Every structure is written in structure tokens, then in C-alpha cells.
Amino acid sequence: MTVVRVLVHGPFTDGLDYLYSVATPAMPFTRVIVPLGTRKVIGVISEINPKASLPKDKLKSIVKVLDHKTLLSTPAIDLIKWLANYYQCTLYQSLRLSLPKHYLQKEQPECAKQIIYTLNNADHNDFNPAKNAHKQHKALALLREHGGVSHDTFISHEITSSTIKSLISKNIITQSKHRLFPKTHATTAITPRTLTNAQQSAVDAICQHLHHFKTFLLFGVTGSGKTAVYIEAIKPVIQSGKQVLVLVPEINLTPQTLMRFEQNFNEPIAAIHSQLTDQARFELFVKVQNTEINIIIATRSGLLFDTPNLGMIIVDEEHDASYKQQNIPTYHARDIAIVKAQKYNIPIILGSGTPSLESYYHASNGKYHLLTLKNRALNQVSNQVHIINLQKSKTQAGLSPILIDKVKQTIANNEQVLLFINRRGFAHSLICQDCGWCANCNQCEKPYTLHTKPQHLACHFCGKAREIILQCPNCQSHNLSDIGQGTEKLEDELSALLPTANIARLDRSSTQKKGALEDVLNDIKSQHIDIIVGTQMIAKGHDFQNVSLVGIINADAGFYSQDFHAVERTAQLIIQVAGRTGRGSKPGDVYIQTYQPDNPILQLILQADYKKFLEHSLETRKLLSYPPFSYQAYIYAQASKTQTCTHALQQLNHALVNCNEQKKLHCQISHVLPAINIKQAGHYRFMLMLTAGTRKQLHQLLNAVTNDIKLARKKVRITIDIDPIDIK
């Protein structure tokens, strides 16, 4: 009998061992049914004859073999193993990112099928239904035109089941079942537009490296035509029959990216994102794995789909924080995409108008190939940037008089306005004017955000919501007041200030309903909207041709954070938002309201040279030995009691310090620190910060304390964030 290690759901770091006594040889990454306690569950074989195992007489036997070939291609298996090792998670946790749930929940998952009717043979040419058999005539006409017709299509043309049965009984048509996949996208390609010299140079450079691994950083100012470069670089890959994976940071960018690719490729296109049903995700996985689809547009949830014939990867808006997974495993999709390209030996393009410091650093030292688009494409014009000093200006509805006048003037010119405020809801908090009580979430000890559409209080940390409080529970006063401003309040105040203007709000709350985002974007495109009010959702990739004025309500918010990453994110956000104007033939104006007009970081941003900001930031990071000049991991502990957290981390800290000294790794290990969000969803959170000179040193240290981490996990919830992009 063979011993196999099987990955199953549960707190089993390395999997469980079972006896394999089936006649067919055991194969890694095939599914089996195994006993687990009193249940029988689906697991995946990860190893044959593992080195450390219980004696065979202590092992249970597998119940059933479900697969006779591996679930994934070799490069896909290598990638999930790498991810599990690098991000300090179990192989099962990594595997779940790749495999659809159906594989781990159903013995024989199947694609949905539909009934298709076809003409039986040549005899149908001699078949003439009665003159009054109109539905039979219609059915034959449809079949002769299309060759095969689905049952649903017949019904939609008012061809009844009795008509279908009659034609089957006369041996005129035959029915069969075919796999039914979620709708993919394909249209007739349009004539591509002429590239600028810079775009063509970028395409030429990429196409010289189509058959081996190379990382390109496409650093193009907003509106410079990065998507056109992607499309032209992809064409020879698709023509050679290879697959292309295009990553976008968020689902709201998927429709417009789809549209651009539909206009340029007469190919079926798969759109993969977190809102797909489990069945739709499974069926697209099958179709991509069988190379029936060659263009895959995906958020990070589609990154680990098995793409056996992959020829190129593109990561659009590579700087975006949405690529970082916050739950275990805390992987970064951009970084995994680079590793995936390396394992498939193919090129990868990282595109951004505001590249991350890490990517720019690698490009500047030659690790990545830097491609630059310095100018806006075609007739797009440069923007004029203006500073409004809020120290010297009173505001109305959060807007200075200068900005209000510009809004009115822009609308009068039949042009559109975009106003950015990076906080959704109506107000930051609700307080009592008499005693100072604040409406806090008991689970997080953070102020509730006041929402009015619909009316409720919501905690933006744990998601808890409750009804609006009308009376102070501390002093029974009804004198409650809202503090601060969010998108809802700005929308309401603008409606009162400009009653004839059509205003649209774009934030996570207003776009929750299916199709809501597409409806608003269509209204903006058709110029039914005068003013767009939104959060960072409006900063990402949208092409608003008629927006000639952008107002940034409070540019300072990100400069006050305890997190050293915040300055970079703020700079990226300001530049991305500013880039939403001047995208057509009309010049754009950007007005930035700030209480710190002399802030040196803000001044660098305003010079419209993001490269200077990057170089300045890299100098600062180097002086402080921050990434990318070092490598970090944060270890978070979470428990219902403070003492439980701190005690577990103190023991882990002791183990880390000892290993660091014994192995002479020279890593820096912090004391136990409170997390920035110290309480969340009823649990307290503390952390350790590890910093190393190399990735190897960092992972040597973490691997050395694997058993200590396992012991800590028995007492508290442990999350290890490798290469963190923020402090939570």
C-alpha cells in the first residue's frame, strides 16, 4: 500500500496522510474522498510517500479516487507551491485560490448543458408542413438559417414544445445536449488607430521579447494611450494561438476594458472577477484550461486560473492597492503575476501613470525594462493645476468660492465637473453637542459613519450597521450633530447650491446594485450628468471625455497617516484624479484645496513630474532603510482579550530574537505593538514588525519559527503579511 498526503479543509498545515490501495497509480494533484472524523470529504493528493508519516497501521484508507489526471498543469502547480511557501500559508489555502469551489465540493462537477436542435438529414428538404402549420415553418426557417437552435431560442420565437415534439417524431429534427458556458464576449474588430512614435517604440520593444521572460514597466502619463500599447503588443500573441491574461485592479474597470478589447479582437473574451457565481467560475475555468478562450480579463481572483498556453501577462494600474489580498494568504497579485510570467517564460507588462516605488526602483536599476510615454496621445491637452489655500478661504458645502465659481462656469459651458472626496457616507461621525458623546461601534471602538441614503449608521471597519440614534444615551439630549463631510453630504449640499445641475455620486455605496455603475457611467458618457461626486473609485482608468474641471476637496488627508506608505498612495490618488480631465480636445483645469499649500511633497506632485516625486521618495526610503531597500513582514495577532494577544506575541518575539541571533540573520524585530486599528469586530489586534536586508533572510527567520507560529495559532488568530503595503 502507498501512503499519500492529502490536502483537506481545516487547521492542517501540511495535510493528512492516508493509505492508497487503489489499482491505478496515485498521482499528485488529483482528488480523492477521504474519511475525516465522522465525515467523508473531498481532498487533493499533494505528495506520494511523504517522508514523515505515521505507521501504516495507524492510517485510514482513502474511500474513492475522483480523478485520473492532474487537475492543473505543471506551471500552475509550481506557482501555487511557490505562493504557499513565500506567503507563509498552507498549500490548501493556496490551492483554493486557483481551483473553483466546485472541485472541492462536488464529486463530479459538470458544466451546465442546454438542448440544441438540428436538422436530421437531407430529407428535410422534401418535407413541406401544412400551410397553416406556421410554427413548423418558422422552426425550419430558423434551423436552415442557423444550423443549430437552442430550446430557449425556439421558445422565444413562440415555437411550442408540441411543435418541437411533432418535428422530432417525423424524424425531421434531432435533439442533443451541449455544454453551456457563461456568456463570453466577441465582436468584429475595428480598424486600429495610428500609434504615436512613443507608443510604437514601446510596442516594438515588447515584441522583441515575446518568447522569453522579461518584465516591462510601461510608465505613461494619464491619457498617454497605455491601452493602445497593450492591444498592439497582444496582437501577435493572439495570432500565434497563445493566451493573454490582462489584470485590472477592480471589477468596475472590467466593463470598459472589455469594451476596448471587444473593439480590437474578434475573439471570445472571458471576464473573471469575484462576483461570478460558483458555477460560472467553474465553467470559465474549464474553458480557459481547455484553451477555448485566449483573452482573459480578470481581477486578482482570476490570476491563478490555469492558463496552459499562456503567452503574455499585462497588469494594468500596477500600483493599485486592490491587487493586495488582505485575507490569508496576503499575496500581491502584481508580484505573483511576475512569478507566473517567469515560470511560463513569457513577457509581462506592468502599466501605470503613477507606478509604485518598488516597480520604479526595479526599473531604474535595470531589473525591469522601462518604457516611457511622456505625452498625452492624439489631441489630448495638458491640464492647468491651481492651488486653493483653505487657510485663507471660507468654504460653502466644502467648496471654496473660487471652486464654486469654476463649477458654475463649467456647467454653463455644457462641460462636466468631477469633484473628489475620499470618504463615502454623509458625515464622519455623530456627536452630542451637550456632553461630547460620540456614536461609536462597540465592536471596533471607532466612530460610526453617518449615511443618509438610506439612513443608517455604519462602521467602515467591521461592516456593522444600525439605525440612526436620535437621543444621546449619555445625557438624553436630542442635540446631536454630524461632524465632517462625505460624498453624500457633498451631493446634498451641491443640490441645494446648484438646483438645476444633474449630479451623480460614484462610491461603493451607490454602486452596490447590479448594473448601477454601468448606468451611471453611461449617463456620464451621454452627458446627462453635470457634476460627478466620488471617492477613489472615480480615479481609476475612466475616460470622461467632457470633464474639463476636477476639484480635489481635501488633498491633505493622506499626509497625516502613521503609515509611511500613505504619502505614496496620496500622490498617486491626486495625480490619477487630476488625469480624469483634459482627456478630449478641451483643456482641463484642476483645483486642489489644501491647508498645506507649501507642503514639499504636494509641491513635487504639482510639478506634474511624478518621476521627481518617485526619486525624492526613494531617497527618503533609502535613508530610513524602508522598502524597497529592505524587506518586511508584519505578524498580526487577534483575540477577544488584549492579554491573550500580547502574551502570544511576546512568546513569538522571544523565539524570533533567539533564532535571529543563532542564525546571525541581522533582522530587526520590533517589540509587541498595538495595531493601528487596535480593535476590530470585537477582537483586539497587536503586531510584530520584521525587517530584513534580503528576502532570503526574512524567510529564513520565519521558517525557523514555524513551530512557534503553529503554537501561537492555537491561542490567537495569526496573520502574516509578507511585503505589506500598509499598516492596518
Side-chain angles (χ1 to χ4, degrees), residues 417-488:
V417 177
L418 188 152
L419 298 176
F420 170 76
I421 178 169
N422 203 22
R423 183 178 288 270
R424 62 191 174 97
F426 187 82
H428 302 182
S429 55
L430 186 67
I431 67 166
C432 175
Q433 294 278 27
D434 293 335
C435 72
W437 169 87
C438 180
N440 281 349
C441 171
N442 294 331
Q443 297 292 301
C444 302
E445 297 179 357
K446 297 277 188 179
Y448 279 116
T449 297
L450 174 63
H451 289 258
T452 59
K453 298 174 182 180
Q455 291 190 352
H456 66 287
L457 296 173
C459 176
H460 288 181
F461 294 89
C462 70
K464 180 183 176 183
R466 58 160 298 167
E467 72 282 356
I468 289 180
I469 300 168
L470 301 176
Q471 184 178 14
C472 175
N474 187 50
C475 70
Q476 284 68 53
S477 169
H478 289 83
N479 189 18
L480 302 181
S481 177
D482 57 82
I483 300 295
Q485 184 181 37
T487 51
E488 291 178 14

Side-chain angles (χ1 to χ4, degrees), residues 18-119:
Y18 292 89
L19 287 177
Y20 186 96
S21 55
V22 183
T24 56
M27 290 189 296
F29 288 87
T30 54
R31 295 176 307 140
V32 290
I33 295 179
V34 294
L36 183 64
T38 59
R39 299 176 297 133
K40 293 177 181 177
V41 301
I42 296 175
V44 177
I45 295 175
S46 64
E47 196 175 347
I48 312 295
N49 291 320
K51 291 180 181 178
S53 181
L54 293 172
K56 289 185 179 181
D57 59 353
K58 300 289 186 182
L59 298 178
K60 295 180 180 180
S61 295
I62 66 163
V63 176
K64 185 179 180 181
V65 175
L66 297 179
D67 304 311
H68 298 291
K69 64 176 183 178
T70 56
L71 294 166
L72 300 167
S73 63
T74 300
I77 292 171
D78 290 345
L79 185 62
I80 63 171
K81 286 181 176 178
W82 184 92
L83 188 150
N85 179 64
Y86 187 82
Y87 288 99
Q88 300 287 310
C89 68
T90 68
L91 187 54
Y92 186 81
Q93 289 169 330
S94 179
L95 180 68
R96 288 177 65 186
L97 295 173
S98 178
L99 282 184
K101 287 182 181 179
H102 277 10
Y103 277 119
L104 303 172
Q105 295 173 346
K106 297 183 178 184
E107 288 189 30
Q108 297 298 332
E110 291 184 347
C111 296
K113 293 183 178 180
Q114 65 177 346
I115 297 174
I116 300 292
Y117 299 98
T118 55
L119 292 165

Side-chain angles (χ1 to χ4, degrees), residues 514-529:
K514 187 176 181 179
L517 176 63
E518 289 80 0
D519 290 343
V520 174
L521 293 177
N522 287 334
D523 285 343
I524 294 170
K525 186 177 180 180
S526 58
Q527 299 183 27
H528 294 150
I529 300 299

Side-chain angles (χ1 to χ4, degrees), residues 160-392:
T160 61
S161 296
S162 61
T163 300
I164 296 169
K165 288 178 182 177
S166 175
L167 290 170
I168 291 173
S169 67
K170 294 173 182 176
N171 203 31
I172 301 303
I173 66 174
T174 301
Q175 71 176 29
S176 57
K177 287 188 175 181
H178 293 262
R179 285 190 303 173
L180 175 65
F181 288 104
K183 180 184 177 184
T184 52
H185 305 260
T187 58
T188 303
I190 62 170
T191 304
R193 61 184 178 183
T194 304
L195 298 181
T196 64
N197 290 337
Q199 288 173 322
Q200 189 62 58
S201 295
V203 171
D204 292 343
I206 295 165
C207 289
Q208 289 175 10
H209 300 276
L210 291 182
H211 304 294
H212 60 268
F213 170 68
K214 194 168 188 66
T215 305
F216 295 91
L217 176 61
L218 182 60
F219 181 179
V221 299
T222 306
S224 59
K226 292 182 289 294
T227 305
V229 173
Y230 302 154
I231 288 169
E232 293 304 314
I234 284 171
K235 284 181 178 178
V237 180
I238 297 299
Q239 288 167 2
S240 67
K242 294 281 189 177
Q243 294 174 307
V244 172
L245 173 63
V246 181
L247 293 181
V248 293
E250 290 191 12
I251 187 175
N252 65 63
L253 292 180
T254 306
Q256 67 183 44
T257 308
L258 267 175
M259 183 183 70
R260 290 293 301 275
F261 277 77
E262 286 172 356
Q263 291 172 342
N264 286 275
F265 295 97
N266 190 20
E267 287 273 342
I269 303 172
I272 302 167
H273 47 77
S274 58
Q275 291 188 10
L276 290 175
T277 64
D278 291 344
Q279 181 66 24
R281 186 175 179 84
F282 165 71
E283 293 178 356
L284 281 176
F285 179 90
V286 171
K287 205 162 189 178
V288 169
Q289 190 178 49
N290 291 341
T291 65
E292 296 173 53
I293 296 179
N294 283 342
I295 299 178
I296 304 106
I297 295 173
T299 57
R300 70 169 186 267
S301 66
L303 168 64
L304 293 179
F305 263 45
D306 189 4
T307 47
N309 199 28
L310 193 60
M312 180 181 285
I313 300 176
I314 292 169
V315 184
D316 192 27
E317 307 292 353
E318 65 84 26
H319 67 278
D320 199 287
S322 300
Y323 284 124
K324 177 73 170 177
Q325 170 91 355
Q326 297 302 321
N327 301 322
I328 299 172
T330 57
Y331 70 95
H332 199 301
R334 177 199 62 213
D335 298 344
I336 297 296
I338 294 171
V339 176
K340 184 169 186 172
Q342 190 172 29
K343 291 188 178 297
Y344 281 81
N345 196 29
I346 58 172
I348 179 171
I349 307 169
L350 312 178
S352 178
T354 54
S356 64
L357 278 169
E358 288 79 7
S359 293
Y360 181 74
Y361 172 71
H362 292 317
S364 62
N365 65 21
K367 185 176 180 180
Y368 299 169
H369 185 144
L370 180 62
L371 304 171
T372 306
L373 303 177
K374 295 181 179 180
N375 301 312
R376 291 192 160 205
L378 299 178
N379 57 347
Q380 296 184 359
V381 294
S382 298
N383 296 327
Q384 295 294 318
V385 180
H386 313 269
I387 286 289
I388 298 174
N389 186 353
L390 291 181
Q391 296 176 13
K392 301 178 180 179

Side-chain angles (χ1 to χ4, degrees), residues 478-622:
H478 289 83
N479 189 18
L480 302 181
S481 177
D482 57 82
I483 300 295
Q485 184 181 37
T487 51
E488 291 178 14
K489 182 185 281 189
L490 181 56
E491 181 186 18
D492 284 355
E493 291 177 338
L494 282 169
S495 296
L497 187 64
L498 302 165
T500 61
N502 294 318
I503 303 170
R505 177 166 54 90
L506 268 177
D507 57 28
R508 195 187 308 167
S509 301
S510 68
T511 56
Q512 285 181 340
K513 291 183 179 179
K514 187 176 181 179
L517 176 63
E518 289 80 0
D519 290 343
V520 174
L521 293 177
N522 287 334
D523 285 343
I524 294 170
K525 186 177 180 180
S526 58
Q527 299 183 27
H528 294 150
I529 300 299
D530 299 311
I531 303 174
I532 308 155
V533 174
T535 57
Q536 58 183 311
M537 181 181 287
I538 63 177
K540 299 178 181 182
H542 298 296
D543 192 7
F544 301 136
Q545 290 286 316
N546 198 44
V547 169
S548 62
L549 173 65
V550 164
I552 298 176
I553 306 305
N554 181 5
D556 305 327
F559 295 133
Y560 300 119
S561 174
Q562 302 171 51
D563 187 352
F564 71 87
H565 302 91
V567 172
E568 178 187 4
R569 287 198 298 271
T570 300
Q572 290 166 344
L573 201 50
I574 290 173
I575 292 171
Q576 291 282 344
V577 172
R580 296 314 107 199
T581 185
R583 297 181 72 85
S585 58
K586 301 171 183 177
D589 280 313
V590 180
Y591 282 79
I592 299 176
Q593 296 188 158
T594 174
Y595 288 97
Q596 306 180 57
D598 298 324
N599 184 316
I601 301 296
L602 183 59
Q603 287 298 320
L604 277 173
I605 297 168
L606 298 179
Q607 291 174 15
D609 190 345
Y610 185 69
K611 184 179 176 183
K612 286 184 180 179
F613 166 78
L614 288 170
E615 290 170 349
H616 175 272
S617 299
L618 284 173
E619 288 177 9
T620 304
R621 294 267 187 105
K622 188 174 183 178

